[in-house]
Amino acid sequence: MSTTGKDECTDDAIGEGRPVARMYVWHDRLAYFAVDPVPLREFTIDTDQLIVCLSGSMHFYLEPIDKSNPEKQQPAITTRSVLLPAGTKVQPSHVDSSSAVIAICYLNTIGDDLDVLIPQMKVAFDGVYYQHRNEATLIEQLRWVRDERVSSESAYQVIKQLIFDGNTPTGRPKHSLDPRIIQVTDLIKSTVRENLSIEELAQRVHLSESRLTKLFRAQVGIPITRYRLSYRVFVGYVYLALGYSVTEAAMASGFSSTAHFSKCFTASIGIQPSAKLLKPPFVEV
């Protein structure tokens, strides 16, 4: 999820009893719980995301907002939950989340999460889905996870239950992915500091580079280069939230320079990695 570059947190805001943003990191999913509104900026989704408003609402416009001619503006869709598949390009002229405090569930890219959630939501436009049929339950349970500061294991079980809710995938289950694609995703994660080339990854699974590129895109839904970069940014994100410096986070996530890491991080997350709100005490991991 992207935000404006404005850092709205101050040291004075972190006082006794004042809640802070929370991040849970698991092997296949990640969840972020905000405590303040997170306005959008233009960005492209790298990982399937379920976004739930813990307070306030989001507004979707079927056409770009035309402030110069408000009479021609289409009515907004108001919702408290939205599903954004990887590859979706979101523009602030279509989505307004400036008054919402949100929780973001970064879904399992090679799992069944997206397949299960899509039928439970309405279609807004261009692959954007909204208003989960059990929206009130989503809000209640995710707010409980944030406010009660539950354990990582308990939070994981809550989110998994909310995603599946007794449902099974309706389309081709992603757990039937080619074993070589699963091996490649595991390699990307286990060699993140090495930043293996596509050619090296292809050799490891005995495929040509072109064949791996096409197969990965067809099965995962995004280019392998985007998947690899988004995972490296994700690793850097976690290091920042743990209190490491930008330089340390860049090195840990396999970037050759802090400048390159900052550029990729900002393009993917929508905020500079040096922003205070990404680090303790403004966020807990």
Side-chain angles (χ1 to χ4, degrees):
M1 188 69 168
S2 292
T3 68
T4 63
K6 183 179 180 181
D7 182 359
E8 297 181 354
C9 295
T10 66
D11 292 332
D12 293 337
I14 305 297
E16 185 177 355
R18 161 71 176 173
V20 298
R22 304 210 75 203
M23 183 192 300
Y24 290 91
V25 182
W26 304 289
H27 70 285
D28 57 354
R29 299 183 181 94
L30 180 148
Y32 175 79
F33 295 81
V35 293
D36 293 301
V38 185
L40 282 172
R41 60 173 288 172
E42 184 173 332
F43 70 112
T44 298
I45 295 291
D46 288 327
T47 304
D48 303 331
Q49 297 179 13
L50 174 64
I51 304 168
V52 179
C53 298
L54 303 180
S55 63
S57 301
M58 300 177 70
H59 308 286
F60 288 83
Y61 297 86
L62 300 182
E63 298 294 338
I65 301 173
D66 185 357
K67 295 182 179 179
S68 65
N69 196 349
E71 293 183 0
K72 290 188 177 182
Q73 177 62 52
Q74 295 291 324
I77 296 173
T78 299
T79 184
R80 300 191 69 182
S81 59
V82 60
L83 178 65
L84 302 174
T88 303
K89 186 172 183 179
V90 178
Q91 300 182 37
S93 59
H94 286 98
V95 184
D96 178 11
S97 64
S98 59
S99 63
V101 175
I102 61 175
I104 312 171
C105 299
Y106 297 82
L107 306 176
N108 184 359
T109 305
I110 60 172
D112 299 321
D113 296 10
L114 187 67
D115 292 333
V116 171
L117 284 168
I118 286 177
Q120 301 184 63
M121 308 189 78
K122 298 178 181 179
V123 179
F125 58 90
D126 295 337
V128 175
Y129 306 88
Y130 74 104
Q131 197 172 322
H132 190 282
R133 66 188 182 193
N134 294 324
E135 193 172 74
T137 300
L138 284 177
I139 295 168
E140 179 184 5
Q141 290 294 304
L142 293 177
R143 187 182 289 164
W144 176 77
V145 168
R146 183 196 66 180
D147 296 345
E148 296 301 319
R149 301 161 65 93
V150 303
S151 68
S152 178
E153 180 180 357
S154 296
Y156 183 84
Q157 292 304 321
V158 167
I159 288 175
K160 186 176 180 180
Q161 183 175 354
L162 289 173
I163 292 172
F164 287 92
D165 192 26
N167 292 279
T168 55
T170 57
R172 179 184 63 80
K174 289 186 177 180
H175 61 244
S176 64
L177 285 175
D178 188 304
R180 294 169 294 185
I181 297 301
I182 296 176
Q183 185 180 350
V184 166
T185 61
D186 289 341
L187 279 169
I188 289 172
K189 294 176 180 179
S190 63
T191 62
V192 64
R193 295 188 186 216
E194 300 174 45
N195 191 23
L196 298 180
S197 67
I198 308 302
E199 181 181 5
E200 290 175 295
L201 292 170
Q203 290 175 353
R204 296 282 188 99
V205 295
H206 309 291
L207 289 173
S208 68
E209 184 175 347
S210 60
R211 174 59 179 155
L212 173 60
T213 300
K214 292 178 181 178
L215 185 61
F216 195 98
R217 176 67 179 264
Q219 295 214 337
V220 179
I222 58 175
I224 186 172
T225 50
R226 178 180 291 174
Y227 179 90
R228 182 183 60 180
L229 180 61
S230 68
Y231 184 77
R232 292 166 61 206
V233 168
F234 157 72
V235 170
Y237 191 168
V238 173
Y239 270 83
L240 291 172
L242 287 170
Y244 288 86
S245 69
V246 175
T247 300
E248 290 169 326
M251 293 179 61
S253 51
F255 286 88
S256 58
S257 70
T258 302
H260 187 210
F261 171 66
S262 296
K263 179 180 179 181
C264 295
F265 189 97
T266 304
S268 179
I269 304 298
I271 191 170
Q272 291 284 347
S274 57
K276 283 186 177 181
L277 59 86
L278 296 175
K279 302 178 179 64
F282 301 104
V283 66
E284 291 180 346
V285 179

